[in-house]
């Protein structure tokens, strides 16, 4: 997905090609999906009509590269909804300010930094997006596991995000390795690799390509699967039996920001009841206690207790080993 700046104005949300950020606005970098950003910003504007916000949307990997490249001359005020495994990079944590965001004290310790540099009230989880019409046309059996995707019949029928460019790609690879163990995990990924038609830079593209019938299976996001099913596409959301990868989406304030009050105000809003209610409509994973899954999630087949399908992910390990895992993946499967 191309980089986008979403500028919140008095009348509407304008979306334009990436350009220099606006001097007097609160500048936010995010890796949230573009469709989500537009929805959330519309609600933020209603709640805070006097606050001008510019949002630059980047993939997980590109956001990290930009942050580090700008370390000597920071451009952003806020990081909003970025993979916690990326946020926990020591080079990134050095750039973050300890800030008390209202409501984060209610989050479990594993969903916030002890020093207040980040918190994660939302997250995302993976899923297989299976086009049921194409599946039937080709006489294929519904896959219920990664192992099923290794069947020869799925040759060139699968899309997956590249873990070196997409946080979604990394969460899938990381989940397989943590659930099965490194040796067995790589063996399984190696067995599926010959059937891959393409590795993408976008986490949502595999699902979007599958829903339109270009491919049978898109290894992608539960959010995109739920949205696609709600919109009427012939799609099934499948959680692999080996365990589903998931990621927390962390937020925080850059230490270099000269608009920390405005930054705190925005992040306080993201923890408000109104924002959390909105997140529950669009996110498969909300870490704030209480509440019910959305109707769209239930209709798409998201279990009431998602812990029953999640892989046993250790985020400290995820963060500490990501460079090693990405390098090995590139060596094995890079195209």
């Amino acid at each position: 997905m191309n980089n986008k700046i979403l500028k919140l104005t008095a009348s509407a949300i304008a979306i334009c090609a990436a350009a220099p950020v606006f001097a007097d606005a609160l500048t936010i970098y995010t890796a949230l999906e573009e469709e989500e950003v537009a929805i959330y910003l519309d609600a933020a504007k209603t709640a805070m009509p006097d606050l001008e916000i510019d949002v630059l949307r980047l993939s997980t990997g590109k956001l990290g590269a930009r942050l580090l490249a700008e370390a000597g001359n920071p451009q952003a005020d806020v990081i909003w909804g970025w993979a916690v495994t990326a946020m926990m990079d020591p080079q990134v944590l050095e750039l973050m300010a300890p800030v008390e965001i209202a409501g984060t004290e209610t989050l479990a310790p594993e969903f916030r930094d002890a020093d207040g540099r980040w918190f994660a009230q939302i997250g995302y989880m993976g899923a297989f997006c299976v086009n049921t019409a194409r599946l039937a046309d080709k006489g294929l059996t519904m896959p219920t596991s990664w192992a099923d995707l290794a069947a020869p019949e799925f040759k060139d029928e699968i899309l997956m995000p590249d873990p070196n460019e997409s946080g979604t790609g990394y969460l899938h690879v990381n989940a397989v390795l943590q659930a099965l163990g490194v040796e067995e995990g790589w063996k399984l990924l190696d067995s599926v690799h010959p059937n891959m038609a393409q590795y993408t830079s976008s986490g949502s593209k595999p699902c979007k390509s599958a829903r339109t019938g270009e491919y049978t299976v898109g290894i992608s996001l539960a959010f995109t699967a739920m949205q696609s099913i709600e919109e009427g596409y012939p799609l099934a959301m499948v959680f692999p039996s080996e365990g589903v990868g998931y990621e927390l989406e962390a937020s925080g304030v850059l230490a270099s920001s000269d608009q920390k009050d405005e930054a705190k105000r925005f992040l306080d809003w993201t923890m408000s009841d109104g924002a959390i209610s909105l997140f529950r409509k669009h996110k498969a994973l909300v870490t704030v206690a209480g509440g019910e899954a959305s109707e769209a999630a239930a209709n798409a087949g998201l279990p009431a207790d998602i812990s029953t399908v999640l892989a046993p992910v250790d985020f400290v390990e995820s963060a500490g080993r990501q460079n090693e895992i990405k390098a090995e993946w590139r060596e094995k499967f890079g195209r």
Side-chain angles (χ1 to χ4, degrees), residues 126 128 145-149 160 163 168-193 196 219 239-246 309-314 317-318 321 325 329 333:
F128 293 170
S145 66
W146 281 88
D148 288 348
L149 297 183
M160 175 181 165
T168 304
Y170 180 70
L171 78 82
H172 280 292
V173 171
N174 180 61
V176 170
L177 297 178
Q178 290 203 20
L180 301 183
V182 173
E183 184 176 351
E184 290 303 313
W186 282 123
K187 285 182 181 179
L188 179 56
L189 293 170
D190 189 60
S191 71
V192 177
H193 172 68
M196 291 291 177
I219 298 174
F239 299 118
S241 60
E242 294 89 352
V244 178
Y246 69 104
V309 299
L310 296 179
V313 175
D314 180 330
E317 180 180 339
S318 300
R321 295 186 58 233
I325 290 171
W329 188 94
F333 311 127

Side-chain angles (χ1 to χ4, degrees), residues 60-173:
T60 297
K62 290 179 179 178
L63 195 159
R66 186 178 181 111
L67 269 182
L68 296 178
E70 294 177 350
N73 182 29
Q75 301 296 306
D77 300 295
V78 172
I79 303 301
W80 175 34
W82 189 37
V84 74
T85 50
M87 183 77 89
M88 290 170 66
D89 183 326
Q91 295 179 88
V92 173
L93 286 178
E94 287 182 3
L95 304 177
M96 308 306 295
V99 177
E100 290 187 16
I101 302 302
T104 56
E105 70 281 356
T106 65
L107 297 177
E110 60 266 33
F111 302 138
R112 53 191 167 94
D113 179 52
D115 296 323
R117 294 168 295 181
W118 62 266
F119 67 96
Q121 81 282 58
I122 54 177
Y124 55 92
M125 56 191 287
F128 293 170
C129 297
V130 182
N131 187 296
T132 53
R134 186 177 174 106
L135 190 82
D137 287 345
K138 291 187 171 290
L140 299 173
T141 301
M142 178 67 74
T144 61
S145 66
W146 281 88
D148 288 348
L149 297 183
E153 305 88 84
F154 283 100
K155 176 71 174 176
D156 293 330
E157 289 295 323
I158 309 169
L159 288 187
M160 175 181 165
D162 183 332
N164 283 282
E165 298 187 51
S166 164
T168 304
Y170 180 70
L171 78 82
H172 280 292
V173 171

Side-chain angles (χ1 to χ4, degrees), residues 13-296:
I13 299 172
I15 302 178
C16 59
V21 293
F22 300 84
D24 297 325
L26 184 70
T27 300
I28 299 174
Y29 288 177
T30 186
L32 293 170
E33 289 298 312
E34 188 176 335
E35 297 94 331
E36 293 181 77
V37 174
I39 293 168
Y40 304 153
L41 284 184
D42 190 40
K45 182 58 187 178
T46 299
M48 301 171 289
D50 59 314
L51 186 61
E52 185 178 8
I53 304 170
D54 297 328
V55 176
L56 176 61
R57 194 273 168 188
L58 296 157
S59 67
T60 297
K62 290 179 179 178
L63 195 159
R66 186 178 181 111
L67 269 182
L68 296 178
E70 294 177 350
N73 182 29
Q75 301 296 306
D77 300 295
V78 172
I79 303 301
W80 175 34
W82 189 37
V84 74
T85 50
M87 183 77 89
M88 290 170 66
D89 183 326
Q91 295 179 88
V92 173
L93 286 178
E94 287 182 3
L95 304 177
M96 308 306 295
V99 177
E100 290 187 16
I101 302 302
T104 56
E105 70 281 356
T106 65
L107 297 177
E110 60 266 33
F111 302 138
R112 53 191 167 94
D113 179 52
D115 296 323
R117 294 168 295 181
W118 62 266
F119 67 96
Q121 81 282 58
I122 54 177
Y124 55 92
M125 56 191 287
F128 293 170
C129 297
V130 182
N131 187 296
T132 53
R134 186 177 174 106
L135 190 82
D137 287 345
K138 291 187 171 290
L140 299 173
T141 301
M142 178 67 74
T144 61
S145 66
W146 281 88
D148 288 348
L149 297 183
E153 305 88 84
F154 283 100
K155 176 71 174 176
D156 293 330
E157 289 295 323
I158 309 169
L159 288 187
M160 175 181 165
D162 183 332
N164 283 282
E165 298 187 51
S166 164
T168 304
Y170 180 70
L171 78 82
H172 280 292
V173 171
N174 180 61
V176 170
L177 297 178
Q178 290 203 20
L180 301 183
V182 173
E183 184 176 351
E184 290 303 313
W186 282 123
K187 285 182 181 179
L188 179 56
L189 293 170
D190 189 60
S191 71
V192 177
H193 172 68
N195 290 345
M196 291 291 177
Q198 184 183 351
Y199 292 107
T200 69
S201 61
S202 164
S204 60
K205 182 177 179 180
C207 193
K208 292 177 179 178
S209 295
R211 73 186 185 186
T212 57
E214 296 175 62
Y215 300 91
T216 302
V217 181
I219 298 174
S220 190
L221 293 162
F223 163 76
T224 314
M226 293 187 301
Q227 182 185 57
S228 301
I229 292 168
E230 186 176 30
E231 292 173 1
Y233 288 97
L235 203 74
M237 179 170 67
V238 176
F239 299 118
S241 60
E242 294 89 352
V244 178
Y246 69 104
E247 178 67 271
L248 299 177
E249 293 173 294
S251 301
V253 178
L254 274 296
S256 58
S257 172
D258 60 1
Q259 299 192 79
K260 288 189 176 64
D261 288 344
E262 291 82 0
K264 175 176 165 32
R265 184 182 173 200
F266 174 79
L267 291 180
D268 282 347
W269 172 80
T270 70
M271 281 296 297
S272 68
D273 290 344
I276 297 301
S277 294
L278 189 59
F279 294 149
R280 292 194 192 280
K281 294 180 181 179
H282 300 280
K283 306 298 292 188
L285 179 58
V286 177
T287 67
V288 179
E292 297 182 357
S294 68
E295 182 178 349

